Amino acid sequence: MEYKYCPMCATTMVQAEKFGALRQCCPNPDCEFVVFQDPKVVTVVLVEHQGRILLGRRNISPAKGEWTFTGGYVNRGEKVEDAALREVKEETNLTIALNGLIGIYSDTDNPYILLAFRAIPVSDLAHLQPQAEEVMELKFFAPNEMPPLAFGFDQRILADWIAGRTEG
């Protein structure tokens, strides 16, 4: 988020070297507010059923119409695991149980940190229903039948999930 005026004292913000990086900051010596652009934490959940993975076809941008895993943003004050459960319920109407961490994914100049989990459904699959606002279609895919995936980390997450299955 870019600030035109300091949210603490209303002085016009400037760009300056602070704490080893160029950051937006307040030049007022009585204030010196600095904006830290923190990464956003995202949960990704690979819901497994009979050796297949649940994918959702996105109904929102970015990547509208493309397939990806269920998941979403972690809210401030929310446990990562709770966010994973909530996001799957919101997007699929399934209740799941988390079954381990696949991995943590981040990259330079990418504003997201992804935590990918394995999960199994604990509610009847008859309850499976896409949330039309975000997901237009849900489908289970075998690892060798995956459609092209929407996001850069998706292929790495899938590969790590497959490796975890063969190692375990």
Side-chain angles (χ1 to χ4, degrees), residues 122-133:
V122 294
S123 61
D124 189 325
L125 290 182
H127 294 114
L128 186 66
Q129 180 178 339
Q131 176 212 32
E133 186 176 318

Side-chain angles (χ1 to χ4, degrees), residues 3-11 13 26 31 33 35:
Y3 291 95
K4 183 171 183 174
Y5 301 103
C6 177
M8 306 304 285
C9 72
T11 301
M13 298 288 280
C26 178
C31 179
F33 176 79
V35 177

Side-chain angles (χ1 to χ4, degrees), residues 39-121:
K40 190 71 177 142
V41 178
V42 176
T43 62
V44 174
V45 183
L46 279 70
V47 179
E48 307 169 41
H49 179 69
Q50 297 179 344
R52 297 173 164 272
I53 292 294
L54 181 63
L55 296 180
R57 216 163 133 223
R58 292 177 59 83
N59 202 23
I60 57 173
S61 293
K64 185 173 182 175
E66 297 182 45
W67 292 94
T68 192
F69 309 113
T70 56
Y73 295 120
V74 177
N75 295 323
R76 183 182 299 261
E78 183 178 36
K79 286 179 57 179
V80 173
E81 296 87 350
D82 292 341
L85 299 172
R86 174 185 52 76
E87 284 289 343
V88 171
K89 182 69 172 176
E90 287 176 3
E91 293 180 9
T92 70
N93 197 41
L94 284 181
T95 301
I96 59 163
L98 297 180
N99 196 15
L101 181 69
I102 297 169
I104 300 170
Y105 304 85
S106 66
D107 206 352
T108 305
D109 296 325
N110 185 324
Y112 305 104
I113 297 171
L114 283 69
L115 287 85
F117 294 95
R118 299 173 72 122
I120 56 170

Side-chain angles (χ1 to χ4, degrees), residues 2 13-26 33-38:
E2 292 286 321
M13 298 288 280
V14 298
Q15 293 282 331
E17 178 79 24
K18 295 284 184 179
F19 305 102
L22 189 61
R23 303 181 195 278
Q24 252 195 322
C25 58
C26 178
F33 176 79
V34 178
V35 177
F36 291 91
Q37 295 291 339
D38 296 327

